[in-house]
Structure formats: structure tokens, C-alpha cells
Amino acid sequence: MTKQISLTIDNKKITAPEGANLLQVASENNIAIPHLCYHKKLSPTGACRLCIVKIENQRGLIASCTVQVSDGMKVTAFDGELEEARKYLLDWLLSEHDESHDNSYDDAFRELVHRYGLDKKENRLFPSIYKELGYPTDESSPVLSYDAAKCIKCFRCIKGCDEVQGKNVLSFTNRGIISYIIGGFDNWGESECDGCGECIQLCPTGAIVEKPHRSAINLLNGIQKVRTTCPYCGVGCQLELFVQDGKIVRSNGVEGVSPNDGRLCVKGRFGYDYVHSPERLTKPLIKKGGKFVESSWDEALDLVARKFSEIKEKYGRKALAGYASAKTTNEDNYLFMKLVRKVFGNNNVDYCTRLCHASTVTAMLRSLGDGAGSNSIEDYAGSDCILVTGNNMIETHPVTATFVKYAVQRKGAKVIIIDPKWTPLVKDAHIWLQPKLGTDVALLNGMLRVIISEDLIDREFITKRVDGGLQAFERLKALTGKYTPEYVKAITGVPAHLMTEAARVYARAGSPLIATGMGYSQQVTGTHNVFCLINMMLITGQVGRRGAGLNPPRGQNNVQGVSDVGASPFTYPGYIPVEDEENLRHIARIWDVPFESLDSKKGLSTIEIMQAAYEGSVKGMYIMGENPMLTDPNLNHTEEAIKRLDFLVVQDIFHTDTTPFADVILPATAFAESEGTYVNSDRRVLRVRKAVDPPGQARQDWEIITEIARRMGSPLGNYRNESDIWDEIARTAPIFAGISYDRLKDQGIQWPCPDKDHPGTDTLFLEQFNTPNGLGKLHPVDYAEQNEQADETYPFILNTGRILYQYHSSTMSRRNKALTDFANQAYVLMNPGDAERHGFTQGQKLRIASRRGLIEPIAVKISNEVLPGELFMPFHYPEAPVNRLTRDEMDPYSKIAPFKLSAVNASPYKG
């Protein structure tokens, strides 16, 4: 624990941690020393000199932002000499500064000018010279404007880009009084700036301001600020939305709050315009005569209730199924699964986790007893080794990546990347292992063999915390014995010395974290991939302490929460199996239903539901906030399955690729129109708050769900608000028992939280695993070749994934000009050698075909980011629906499809 010391500032006695920053200590004790260049997230600069103080027994006026406090220190923060010096410094800065202001941004410099009376020109010593200096402006970025005439050279933008975001895109050009900020080597638009906006939020003068809505924003005219949670990836960044005249006009990161501490990515800062899109669904729609017509809510809900009831009566309760949504709140999803279980009468409820991290969750549940990340996102900043497997986190979880880059760039941590495709984090990596697609089990078994043969195991951990102890370890040792570096290289293509070094670095690390992504999970061997990771983690003892463990970053805002609250065919809230009789009786009492009415058999998973629809055993579906006609595998089969349904309801905020097949479309609310909670990737329950009203007649999802249930004759309960729903969730899921809306007011809480006095759990498995006997379980698995291989007809293996500027099926992200200005075109990546052999040129339109379907036309990007014989396509774009090519074969454990491995061919487009 840091030693506490005493000091005085202007005769006020203060206690502070020894070595703390003097300016920060003053601020925390309500002593407002003027400053512009200092920010608590950044290293001190001392550039503006406004924070000068006097310190007893030290000469001169000292910049307090550069001073560490010590015991007995006596500080003078305000006297006549200091105030006169500050006024002089401000006057000098003001002479080089364009004073014009449009009230669209906060301006700390302007506030100080007013505070010191310099807004009156008769109080100034220096004439204005900024026009003579010829400062430039830069409008080349899609999302921000830079005006050098408003820049005071405080370094905050440069340091924020470097120290917080880890990107180091910004710097000064020229020298002295005519220096100014540039992006890259010239301007923002041609630089590597990805639009995160950290520089905007840190700028104290308005030199850097966001472009979207600037002309409409007037901070003096009734701006409402609402804190909520970002609707994009699973980091759960805390946002402060600026609302003016009923519309969101700005989004800032909330400082000092986990998990993001003010950081945002380009989507979190600029991806909110979709909320106000004119394309929003605003009224219920019913298909009549093959066309959608507007209807009243009563007509639509009565039709839905009647059709679902008729199907249940005619074909039995298992003829109905539902897709829940990772984009909506826990409260929405809890009631959705309650409707399926209580009203439909079955467990046929699933959602997109079956298409992303199901393999990870399955392996972790079987081996560790919990399927969620074991550590906190900010733990990456203190890690000395981060093993990143199949996870392009800089693009898919950019804020998490900032903590990783901090560990590497500031603390000397080593990043090991296992990925067949180049990702931006490779630039910070110690080692990049680039295995051929589908060979991960062989590679990891090879790493296990290195660890075992070099005696890098933790015998004490194995003995005390692994089921079967050393006997189980010996079985793993025997299986991995054949995975010599030469054998592994023959399968994977990974050089022996790199694999060996990676194994050593991980095993010897003091605080290693594994960040495993969908590159590992979206395979028919996905569960085996994660078993191997867990095997490596267990035999080295690299779990069960702060800063060590396994963490799957969730791809959507509430993927974690939807599983947590039980929207799964296999588990009730809190991951309690549907077969668990004691829990079923407990649920029955809470829901006030007969125990016998609850189905005790596992339901159908996402892909199985579509197969059942194709085969005719599922007749009716309720899809909430999902778009299977773009995101499901083997879309030709999915389309045929959906067409065979007797009745389909789609509930969403926009028309999607799926809504044309619906019989009824119900308009729902977006994140900023909703109240509730999400759970992020590190198990943190976070509040979602309403900032604006929904368009037209759109309703929050849970309100629609309860009305359908009531009209089907089986009300779900008398809920006054979202807090009531959450309280019921907390009664059904022991992991949430101690969490309430009151406790979530200021900070999120990480589950498990068993009672109201519990602070939440930042690290899992400290004393035991969550398995029945408290021990981790090894699962030795052998490498097996994929069923689908490249051949003469289909010579390429296709990989799919995400990019930074789009999200999921792009229904949200593509309705934001700030995002589409960065990236809005589908493409396929191809290795230069392959392009040369086939005669393809950069940007050429191609036809890509698999055994299941084809896509045309699509532009080729020739790049070394992929290995020879492998292709990559993002899956976001409806005009290039990559899942026309993928197959719906399933991992036998997790029921996930192999989105990452499809044999395809490529030929010139001749349309």
C-alpha cells in the first residue's frame, strides 16, 4: 500500500499518497490551480506553465504538474505574484490565438481568458498576431477539424494518441511559434488516424473538434447529458451522450470509470446517427398479399398471438422457436426466454453466441465451470505476456487493445499472436505465429509439448487444482508427445523456433493473459482449440490469480449478458442446466407456474432451429434483433428454411435482410431509447439509460414481449419498469443476487456478486474453479484435418471476419456517415502470389464460389495479410453476403458453424 504523507497547500492541510502529482492532489482537494496542458491520464508536460506554484525552500515558480508530493511540503498556489504571472502567460498565448468561437465545443482556454479579465482587450499587453503567422487548417479527416490558430501547443492530443490509444499518429511540424500538429507525415486524412477521437476529447481549446453536427450544436442552448453504455462491441464503454432538441449530437467517453476510462473507438464516438435515421421502423407492419402494410399495435399483436397459439395447438409446443438478441438489454432477453419457456413451452431459444463464442463458452464450462472471462479488461495494462489467438482486437475491440498496447509500449510486455491473417497488433507483437487455417490444435499441442519437455509446468498447481492431478497430466503428456516442432511445422507451416519461443515466453511469464477470439471458436474444432488453450493454462498454473487467465472478448454489446440471463437452449439464468430439477422447481415458484409445465430437455440451438425449420418440425419463429439472412452459415439453406416456416415475426429497428421473409414486423427501440442493463466481456453489469424518445410508435422490446405473452393467455408478470425485471433476474441467477439498479448508479459490478454487500468479483478462480469438485479439468485432444479441404476445383480456403468501421450485419453502422466515409465497400483479400498466378489485378471484380453458393461481383485487395492459398472477406456487407459460401456443419460440442474455413474458387467477374 502506498504511504500516505501530509502537505499544505495555501495553509490547507492535506493527506495524499507519497509521490502523487501535486496538481492532481490540489484538484482532488478542491484547489483549482489553473492549467491547460495537464490531464490525469497523461504524463506531465509543463508546457503551458499556468499551474505554477511556490514551494517552500525551492527557487522560482514551479509547474505543479511536474512535481511529486512529499511529506511536509508547503505549497503556495495563489498569491498576487502567481496570479499576475498566470495572466501574463495567458495574454501571451492569446496573442497567437484565434478567439472566434461557435459554442460547439468546451473551451478551457476561453474560460481562463474570461477568469483573468483578458476577454477585455484593454487588459491585454500583447497584440494579436495569429493572422500574420499563417496557421493552416486541416479538414481532411472524415470526423474532425483541426485549426492551428486555436492550438496552444499543449501536447495533450499528441500524448493522448500515443500514451492512451497507443497509436502515435500525431506530431508537430515546423519549429517554434509557427509549429502545428499534423497527422502522419502531412494531414489527418492521409495518416493512420482511425477516428477514435481521443485528441478531440482531450483538446482544451477547440483546435480539434468533431465534424458531425458541429453546425447544429450550441452548448449554451439546453444540452442534456446522459450516461449510458456503448451499443457496439462487448467492451462496454461508458458514454456521455449530448442531446439537443431531442437528438444525439455528440458522444464522449466517461472519464474515471471502468472499463474504458474515457477511451472510445470510432464507433463509440461517432456511430450514433443510426438512432435518428429516417429508415427506422416506426409502425407495425403486416404482410398482406405479399406486401407489407402498416397496422395498429393491437392488430399486429393479436395476429402474432393468434398465429403462435394456433401453431402450438396444431403441432405441439416444440413447433415454436425464438432467436434472442445480443444487441438488446438483459431485461429484454430475460423476458424473451421466459416467453419461449413459459408460453411456447420449450427450450428452443438461442441467439448469435452459437455463431461466435459458443465453442469458447463450452470448453470453459467443461474445464473451468464458467464460460466468461476470468479477468478484468484493465488487467491487460499490467500483464507481462498477452497471448492473442484468432482475435483482431485492434479492429474488433479497440479500447481493450489500448490496454494491451500500453502494456507493450510502456511496460515492456510481450505479445504473442496466433493468427493466419495479419492484424494491426502484429506491429506490437514479440512473436507472430501464422498457422494455416484449421491447424490450431496441432500448433497448441506442439507448444504444450515444448512446455512439458522443458519442464516449464507448475506441478504444485497441477496437484492441487487439476482434476486427476499428475495422472491427468501424464495422459496429456502422452498425447502431445508426437507433436515435435518438425511435425507441427509440417502441418501448420509455423517455424519451429517461433513456436518454441512462444511456448517459453507464455509459460515463464508472471502475469500472462490469453485473449481468444472467434478465429479459434468459429471452427468445427472450435471447442478443441479452446480445450488446448486451457490445457496449456492449467499445466503452467497461469490462472487463478489477478492478471492471469483466459478472456474471450465478446463481439457484441450484450453477448455475455444474453447467456447470463438464460437465453440458451441448454441453460437457465446463471448457467444452470435446463435438466436441473431443483432449479426448475425454483424457477417455477418465481414464475408461478406448475413445475411440470417447464421443459426439462435441451432445446434446439441456432443452427438446429434452422435445420428443424427446413425439415418442417419448427413451424413458427420469433426473431428479436437478429439478422440470420446475413449472419447464419450456408445462407441458401437458411433462406429455404425460413421460407418453409408457417409464420415468422421479426422485431427490429430497421428493415434487414431477414425482414422481407417476415409475416409481421414489429418496430423496437434503439439503445439510446431504452432503459436496462448490458453485461460486458469482463462480466461487468452496466446500466443503459434512455436519452431520446423512440421514433413513431416504436416500443421497447420487453414491452412488446409481455404483450404477446398476455395475448397468448400466459402473462409474464406485472413489471412496472426495467428495475422490476432485473430484480427477478437476480432472484433466478445466483451470480446476480447482490446486484440492483441502485448499486449500478455510478459503477458497473462484475459477477458473481452473491449478496448486496459483496463488491463484485474482478478475478475468477482465485481459490477454486466453478466445477462440481472445484478442480480444473484437462481435455487432451488430437489434431484432426478439416472435413472441407482445398482441391483443384476449389483451390482457396476462405476466412471471414470483422473490420473496425462496420458492425455485425451493418444495419446500425452503415447508417453513420462518419463510419461509411472510412470504409463502405466489400472486398476479398488475396495473397500477391495467388493474384499473380491467376492474373488478377488490384481492385479487379471477381466471382467467388463455394460448393454452396457464390458472390459476385467483389473487388480483390492484393495483400500479404493472408497466406498463399487463403482468402479473407468481411461479413458485414449485404451486397456481398459471405455466408452464401460458408457451411453449416457443426462443432459437435458447441453446435457452432465453421465460418473460418470454406473451400472456394475465384474467377473474373463477367457481368
Side-chain angles (χ1 to χ4, degrees), residues 228 435 447 577 642 743:
T228 190
M447 292 175 68
I642 286 179
R743 293 192 67 193

Side-chain angles (χ1 to χ4, degrees), residues 731-745:
R731 291 169 61 201
T732 62
I735 59 175
F736 295 135
I739 302 177
S740 65
Y741 271 35
D742 285 343
R743 293 192 67 193
L744 295 173
K745 181 180 178 182

Side-chain angles (χ1 to χ4, degrees), residues 502-513:
R504 290 169 178 164
V505 169
Y506 175 78
R508 291 170 176 163
S511 300
L513 291 169

Side-chain angles (χ1 to χ4, degrees), residues 747-758:
Q747 292 272 3
I749 298 175
Q750 291 168 278
W751 66 256
C753 180
D755 60 67
K756 62 183 179 62
D757 297 319
H758 194 282

Side-chain angles (χ1 to χ4, degrees), residues 499-735:
M499 181 195 73
T500 301
E501 172 67 4
R504 290 169 178 164
V505 169
Y506 175 78
R508 291 170 176 163
S511 300
L513 291 169
I514 300 173
T516 185
M518 285 178 277
Y520 261 37
S521 63
Q522 289 179 329
Q523 301 184 32
V524 290
T525 57
T527 304
H528 280 189
N529 291 340
V530 182
F531 276 151
C532 288
L533 283 174
I534 295 171
N535 292 342
M536 187 164 62
M537 182 177 69
L538 289 175
I539 69 167
T540 54
Q542 302 289 33
V543 65
R545 64 182 186 277
R546 189 162 282 103
L550 176 63
N551 300 278
R554 303 303 192 183
Q556 294 187 56
N557 53 307
N558 201 30
V559 171
Q560 184 65 54
V562 186
S563 289
D564 294 345
V565 302
S568 162
F570 314 132
T571 58
Y572 270 87
Y575 299 94
I576 303 173
V578 296
E579 305 96 333
D580 188 309
E581 182 176 333
E582 181 181 352
N583 185 63
L584 282 178
R585 293 187 183 277
H586 174 65
I587 294 291
R589 287 191 294 271
I590 293 173
W591 290 358
D592 193 23
V593 297
F595 158 71
E596 297 78 11
S597 69
L598 297 177
D599 189 356
S600 61
K601 295 182 179 179
K602 291 179 180 179
L604 300 175
S605 67
T606 298
I607 298 171
E608 290 172 327
I609 287 171
M610 281 301 171
Q611 289 177 341
Y614 183 86
E615 295 164 0
S617 56
V618 165
K619 298 290 187 179
M621 275 192 73
Y622 184 3
I623 297 175
M624 176 178 72
E626 294 290 338
N627 187 13
M629 276 306 302
L630 192 64
T631 60
D632 274 20
N634 193 359
L635 283 181
N636 295 313
H637 181 273
T638 299
E639 180 176 344
E640 184 59 33
I642 286 179
K643 286 179 177 178
R644 294 185 183 189
L645 290 168
D646 287 358
F647 190 68
L648 173 63
V649 177
V650 176
Q651 187 167 302
D652 217 311
I653 63 175
F654 292 110
H655 279 291
T656 69
D657 306 88
T658 305
T659 55
F661 301 91
D663 296 286
V664 177
I665 302 172
L666 303 176
T669 55
F671 88 106
E673 301 150 0
S674 304
E675 292 281 341
T677 57
Y678 300 150
V679 184
N680 79 338
S681 294
D682 65 6
R683 299 168 283 104
R684 198 180 306 265
V685 183
L686 298 159
R687 282 285 275 116
V688 181
R689 295 178 177 90
K690 181 179 178 181
V692 295
D693 291 329
Q697 299 176 23
R699 295 183 181 181
Q700 192 159 342
D701 291 278
W702 73 265
E703 295 172 325
I704 303 171
I705 295 162
T706 54
E707 268 301 298
I708 292 172
R710 185 182 69 81
R711 291 167 194 246
M712 289 183 71
S714 184
L716 298 182
N718 297 314
Y719 306 106
R720 296 167 299 175
N721 51 39
E722 294 80 8
S723 181
D724 283 354
I725 304 170
W726 176 264
D727 290 344
E728 183 173 306
I729 294 171
R731 291 169 61 201
T732 62
I735 59 175

